[in-house]
């Protein structure tokens, strides 16, 4: 299939509308069959649940062109499961995994011309989302919903690619204990916007958020989980009930243990420990795995020995192995790759 004429290696991470998207409506207790539409605009009531009480959840995943020319998606079944975990927490209806995966396949097939070519470093980003569409004025769940999926071709999330980032310890809290930090709700990201803009205004790439109860333990950034590497090459990731369960982090931990033979551990990570680690990375669907070179906590600078020029040794191996699996260069574990279009 002929691709659209884009500068694939320099498209950046921003919204670029494609031709077709998927929509399904929930009414009278059930979802419609779902269909494709070319209309990118949404018309809803001024009193819709999403507008009044932020009743919206979303997912993010990518479609790739492998070295064999196939177009595939990476672990979309886990996105379907996580969407429903989020839906339960926000009193929204369950969307079946089968219909979710069918919608993903329809959108990718309809927009195959926008799936970047192998080796370009770009991907087709898929954004499934659900929102309360019926009017509400009292504080309660909406009665009607829409589930939609749109796609957009994207490049690296952080400008400059793998250049190590500088983070600051945020004075703000991202999530509270027994709150919604563990679900992918739009309201969580809205809460991080002011802190994120403030960090960038002060010259930092992102924030480190600490636990709200004691403000001593590392949790995550505004949109990514942490991985730390010890001097003896052990992979450590923070454990907390308020951290979003990242599919990318879950995959990287498997890669570290099974493909690279490294010891991995999920545990509480204290801010005062950071100086003991030799490498740090942040991971998520958008960023995959980006290196961190320095953390600033007020007047204190914590510099990782991996430096500010490139990824550390273990971080690089993790990144190369996971992206190799995604792109078909390395044999994937069973069930990780969903083939959508065969070359």
């Amino acid at each position: 299939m002929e691709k659209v004429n884009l500068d694939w290696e320099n498209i950046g991470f921003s919204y670029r509308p494609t031709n077709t998207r998927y929509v399904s409506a929930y009414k009278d207790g059930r979802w419609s069959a779902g269909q494709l539409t070319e209309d990118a605009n949404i018309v809803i009531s001024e009193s819709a649940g999403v507008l009044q009480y932020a009743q919206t959840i979303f997912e993010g995943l990518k479609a790739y062109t492998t070295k064999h020319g196939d177009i595939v998606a990476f672990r979309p079944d886990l996105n379907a499961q996580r969407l429903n975990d989020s839906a339960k927490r926000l009193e929204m209806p369950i969307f079946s995994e089968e219909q979710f995966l069918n919608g993903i396949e329809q959108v990718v097939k309809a927009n195959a011309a926008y799936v970047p070519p192998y080796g370009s470093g770009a991907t087709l980003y898929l954004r499934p989302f659900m929102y309360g569409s019926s009017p509400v004025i009292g504080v309660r769940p909406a009665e009607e919903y829409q589930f939609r999926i749109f796609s957009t071709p994207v490049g690296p999330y952080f400008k400059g690619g793998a250049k190590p980032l500088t983070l600051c310890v945020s004075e703000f809290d991202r999530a509270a204990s027994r709150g919604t930090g563990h679900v992918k709700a739009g309201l969580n990201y809205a809460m991080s916007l002011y802190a994120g803009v403030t960090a960038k205004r002060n010259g930092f790439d992102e924030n480190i958020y600490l636990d709200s109860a004691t403000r001593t333990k590392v949790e995550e950034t505004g949109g990514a989980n942490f991985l730390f590497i010890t001097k003896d090459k052990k992979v450590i990731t923070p454990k907390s009930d308020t951290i979003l369960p990242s599919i990318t982090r879950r995959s990287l931990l498997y890669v570290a243990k099974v493909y690279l033979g490294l010891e991995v551990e999920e545990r509480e990570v204290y801010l005062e420990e950071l100086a003991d680690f030799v490498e740090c990375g942040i991971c998520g669907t958008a960023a995959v795995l980006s290196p961190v070179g320095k953390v600033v906590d007020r007047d204190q600078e914590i510099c990782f020995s991996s430096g500010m020029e490139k990824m550390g040794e273990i971080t690089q191996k993790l990144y190369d192995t996971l992206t190799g699996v995604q792109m078909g260069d390395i044999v994937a574990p069973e069930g990780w790759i969903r083939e959508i279009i065969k070359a």
Side-chain angles (χ1 to χ4, degrees), residues 218 226-238 265 267-281 292-293 295 302-307:
V218 173
F226 278 104
L227 290 179
F228 299 101
I229 312 299
T230 66
K231 295 175 183 177
D232 57 357
K233 300 183 179 180
K234 185 176 183 179
V235 181
I236 306 289
T237 189
E265 183 180 6
R267 64 167 174 79
E268 292 181 337
V269 174
Y270 288 85
L271 179 62
E272 63 185 16
E273 289 185 74
L274 293 196
D276 297 330
F277 297 121
V278 296
E279 297 179 39
C280 172
V292 175
V295 171
I302 303 166
C303 298
F304 299 101
S305 59
S306 52

Side-chain angles (χ1 to χ4, degrees), residues 40-113:
N41 297 307
I42 297 172
V43 179
I44 53 177
S45 167
E46 62 186 354
S47 189
V50 62
L51 300 179
Q52 300 307 314
Y53 301 117
Q55 201 181 14
T56 180
I57 57 177
F58 70 97
E59 278 297 320
L61 65 152
K62 293 175 178 179
Y64 311 80
T65 302
T66 71
K67 72 172 184 178
H68 307 293
D70 303 329
I71 294 178
V72 304
F74 182 70
R75 311 191 79 177
D77 56 315
L78 298 186
N79 292 98
Q81 294 169 23
R82 191 171 63 181
L83 179 92
N84 283 327
D85 289 340
S86 298
K88 292 172 187 176
R89 183 63 177 82
L90 267 67
E91 284 295 329
M92 302 172 80
I94 296 301
F95 195 79
S96 78
E97 180 177 327
E98 180 182 6
Q99 191 170 357
F100 180 100
L101 296 174
N102 179 261
I104 292 293
E105 291 195 358
Q106 288 191 52
V107 171
V108 173
K109 288 177 179 177
N111 297 291

Side-chain angles (χ1 to χ4, degrees), residues 9-319:
E9 295 182 2
N10 297 291
I11 57 176
F13 197 94
S14 59
Y15 174 69
R16 185 187 304 268
T18 53
N19 295 334
T20 312
R21 61 275 308 143
Y22 176 91
V23 60
S24 175
Y26 181 87
K27 186 175 182 179
D28 298 327
R30 62 181 178 180
W31 288 101
S32 65
Q35 62 185 18
L36 296 177
T37 176
E38 295 182 357
D39 190 356
N41 297 307
I42 297 172
V43 179
I44 53 177
S45 167
E46 62 186 354
S47 189
V50 62
L51 300 179
Q52 300 307 314
Y53 301 117
Q55 201 181 14
T56 180
I57 57 177
F58 70 97
E59 278 297 320
L61 65 152
K62 293 175 178 179
Y64 311 80
T65 302
T66 71
K67 72 172 184 178
H68 307 293
D70 303 329
I71 294 178
V72 304
F74 182 70
R75 311 191 79 177
D77 56 315
L78 298 186
N79 292 98
Q81 294 169 23
R82 191 171 63 181
L83 179 92
N84 283 327
D85 289 340
S86 298
K88 292 172 187 176
R89 183 63 177 82
L90 267 67
E91 284 295 329
M92 302 172 80
I94 296 301
F95 195 79
S96 78
E97 180 177 327
E98 180 182 6
Q99 191 170 357
F100 180 100
L101 296 174
N102 179 261
I104 292 293
E105 291 195 358
Q106 288 191 52
V107 171
V108 173
K109 288 177 179 177
N111 297 291
Y114 288 90
V115 181
Y118 172 77
S120 65
T123 56
L124 184 71
Y125 185 81
L126 298 158
R127 172 56 62 86
F129 63 106
M130 185 193 299
Y131 62 91
S133 56
S134 60
V136 294
I137 197 66
V139 181
R140 58 180 175 80
E143 296 179 354
E144 298 177 7
Y145 297 83
Q146 276 205 3
F147 172 83
R148 300 175 70 99
I149 306 170
F150 68 80
S151 61
T152 183
V154 298
Y157 186 73
F158 290 104
K159 294 180 180 179
K163 182 179 179 182
L165 308 172
T166 298
L167 310 185
C168 67
V169 176
S170 180
E171 297 179 0
F172 302 93
D173 294 331
R174 174 191 166 271
S177 300
R178 296 178 294 279
T180 59
H182 64 293
V183 301
K184 206 164 176 66
L187 60 92
N188 290 338
Y189 294 80
M191 295 287 284
S192 73
L193 292 177
Y194 178 80
V197 170
T198 300
K200 288 179 174 61
R201 188 180 295 131
N202 291 331
F204 302 104
D205 295 296
E206 249 289 10
N207 284 299
I208 283 185
Y209 290 101
L210 306 178
D211 71 295
S212 60
T214 70
R215 290 195 55 80
T216 61
K217 291 174 279 192
V218 173
E219 295 216 319
E220 60 179 301
T221 71
N225 286 183
F226 278 104
L227 290 179
F228 299 101
I229 312 299
T230 66
K231 295 175 183 177
D232 57 357
K233 300 183 179 180
K234 185 176 183 179
V235 181
I236 306 289
T237 189
K239 181 178 182 179
S240 168
D241 292 337
T242 59
I243 290 176
L244 183 74
S246 165
I247 295 166
T248 303
R249 180 184 68 166
R250 177 173 170 177
S251 303
L252 284 166
L253 293 179
Y254 183 93
V255 162
K257 184 176 182 179
V258 177
Y259 283 73
L260 302 181
L262 301 173
E263 186 178 354
V264 302
E265 183 180 6
E266 184 178 2
R267 64 167 174 79
E268 292 181 337
V269 174
Y270 288 85
L271 179 62
E272 63 185 16
E273 289 185 74
L274 293 196
D276 297 330
F277 297 121
V278 296
E279 297 179 39
C280 172
I282 57 174
C283 60
T285 299
V288 183
L289 181 58
S290 295
V292 175
K294 180 168 60 177
V295 171
V296 178
D297 180 18
R298 297 185 177 89
D299 296 330
Q300 179 187 8
E301 287 192 354
I302 303 166
C303 298
F304 299 101
S305 59
S306 52
M308 293 296 295
E309 297 301 319
K310 61 181 181 179
M311 279 190 178
E313 176 192 358
I314 301 301
T315 307
Q316 186 72 62
K317 287 181 179 179
L318 288 168
Y319 175 86

